[in-house]
């Protein structure tokens, strides 16, 4: 990391304390998106999200882990096998995180890239996600989801 005041570079250190807990939640969050229906995804959802988690994206507003799971399942039913991968280590501070992701289709082709801005509650669970597309999928029409 480069200090803006001095221009010196210091190595990034692994997160500790609250940031470490939030980093672990972000790992589980990514696993949630990559897990199909079943008990494992249900366990991840209850560990990662608050009961009324809010998800905002160009495609709409969703509330609750079940709505997020349904959104993931609908996506996979349209495009086929897909997985989310983190493009870089998430940034975490003050109960917020920025997670840059990429969706890869079953053959490894990049489908889209984006950034999720995530808000944690006091217990470290995710209470809100604002999803932004950095590179939309080919043919994506943002006005089709108003």
């Amino acid at each position: 990391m480069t200090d803006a005041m001095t221009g010196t570079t210091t190595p990034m250190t692994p997160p500790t304390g609250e940031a470490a807990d939030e980093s672990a939640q972000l790992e589980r969050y990514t696993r949630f998106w990559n897990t199909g229906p079943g008990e494992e995804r249900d366990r991840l959802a209850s560990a990662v999200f608050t009961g009324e988690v809010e998800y905002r994206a160009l495609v709409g507003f969703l509330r609750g882990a079940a709505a997020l799971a349904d959104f993931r399942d609908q996506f996979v039913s349209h495009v086929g096998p897909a997985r989310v991968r983190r493009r870089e280590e998430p940034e975490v501070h003050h109960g917020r995180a920025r997670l840059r992701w990429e969706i890869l289709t079953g053959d490894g082709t990049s489908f889209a890239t984006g950034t999720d801005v995530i808000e944690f509650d006091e217990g470290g669970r995710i209470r809100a996600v604002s999803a932004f597309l950095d590179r939309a999928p080919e043919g994506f029409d943002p006005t089709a989801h108003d």
Side-chain angles (χ1 to χ4, degrees):
M1 173 185 288
T2 302
D3 183 305
M5 298 290 286
T6 66
T8 58
T9 302
T10 56
M12 299 225 15
T13 56
T16 58
E18 185 177 321
D21 294 342
E22 291 166 345
S23 292
Q25 281 294 65
L26 294 172
E27 284 289 335
R28 287 186 283 273
Y29 175 74
T30 304
R31 281 201 335 254
F32 169 84
W33 287 115
N34 290 326
T35 305
E39 290 181 22
E40 173 65 13
R41 186 171 67 189
D42 294 344
R43 277 192 297 275
L44 285 167
S46 64
V48 171
F49 302 114
T50 62
E52 293 296 312
V53 60
E54 295 181 350
Y55 182 89
R56 291 172 170 81
L58 283 174
V59 297
F61 173 79
L62 306 171
R63 178 172 282 141
L68 274 67
D70 185 55
F71 173 62
R72 182 256 181 216
D73 294 343
Q74 287 180 37
F75 176 83
V76 170
S77 75
H78 284 45
V79 302
R83 70 179 179 86
V84 174
R85 74 165 191 91
R86 296 180 348 184
R87 293 188 287 156
E88 60 188 42
E89 193 63 31
E91 295 177 63
V92 179
H93 65 82
H94 298 96
R96 307 284 189 283
R98 179 172 72 166
L99 187 146
R100 293 173 178 239
W101 49 262
E102 178 178 33
I103 298 173
L104 301 172
T105 59
D107 67 0
T109 302
S110 180
F111 180 81
T113 61
T115 301
D116 287 355
V117 177
I118 296 167
E119 179 182 350
F120 299 95
D121 73 359
E122 298 76 26
R125 291 178 30 199
I126 295 173
R127 82 166 108 214
V129 178
S130 297
F132 297 89
L133 286 172
D134 298 336
R135 182 182 45 79
E138 187 176 322
F140 179 75
D141 179 4
T143 63
H145 303 283
D146 287 341

